[in-house]
Amino acid sequence: MPWSGRLSPLLLPVGEYCVFGSGAMAILGIREAKDVDVLATPRLCEVLKAKGWKEETIPAGNPPKPTPVLRNPQYPDVDIFRTWDYKGFRWTPLEVIRGSRSVLGIYFANLFYVKAWKKAFGRDKDKADLVLLETLASRWGTL
């Protein structure tokens, strides 16, 4: 199922979320992604918790650190984050959400932020994604 079909049933409100990371790249057809990470405002996170989403703590980052994430078994490939506090990435979730753009009715992070985050994380898969993003930037002029 396309990402828009996976997220549309959630009815996420404009200005309260954006798809981030490889999910944003998948929505744009840059590469496949096995799941989708969503940045959400604290207000939206509270609404989702009231609708049955459960908060877990997962290791994320490079090096990994405990990170809260909302999950719902009805949407097993969607992770919702209210924080994105990683060394080397200096933007808040709200800044990233405010800079998001709509594709097929789904808001995704501006690729400028995705690129900055991939540089900060520096994992092998992030380095491969940076090559893809740089190739696109050379074709499109800017991200």
Side-chain angles (χ1 to χ4, degrees):
M1 177 186 298
W3 289 115
S4 59
R6 292 177 182 169
L7 293 175
S8 294
L10 295 176
L11 301 173
L12 298 174
V14 174
E16 296 283 328
Y17 81 97
C18 71
V19 175
F20 198 65
S22 60
M25 295 175 72
I27 285 175
L28 291 171
I30 297 169
R31 76 162 177 88
E32 293 292 319
K34 64 180 179 177
D35 65 357
V36 61
D37 294 333
V38 176
L39 289 179
T41 63
R43 177 177 41 225
L44 178 56
C45 288
E46 291 306 314
V47 168
L48 292 170
K49 282 194 235 179
K51 291 182 177 183
W53 288 71
K54 302 291 183 212
E55 187 168 296
E56 301 175 16
T57 300
I58 62 169
N62 188 17
K65 70 177 194 173
T67 302
V69 61
L70 291 177
R71 291 186 166 154
N72 186 319
Q74 291 180 301
Y75 307 96
D77 52 6
V78 177
D79 291 334
I80 299 187
F81 296 87
R82 72 172 186 270
T83 63
W84 207 263
D85 181 23
Y86 300 110
K87 184 179 179 179
F89 187 77
R90 60 184 173 96
W91 294 274
T92 67
L94 191 55
E95 289 172 306
V96 176
I97 291 167
R98 285 182 178 154
S100 66
R101 303 289 181 257
S102 176
V103 172
L104 302 173
I106 301 295
Y107 281 79
F108 71 95
N110 183 308
L111 291 180
F112 167 82
Y113 296 115
V114 174
K115 188 175 167 184
W117 173 70
K118 297 273 183 191
K119 282 182 183 177
F121 256 38
R123 301 167 297 184
D124 289 340
K125 69 179 187 174
D126 298 319
K127 292 173 185 174
D129 286 345
L130 283 168
V131 170
L132 290 172
L133 291 169
E134 290 296 336
T135 300
L136 285 176
S138 69
R139 290 182 187 157
W140 295 351
T142 187
L143 292 180

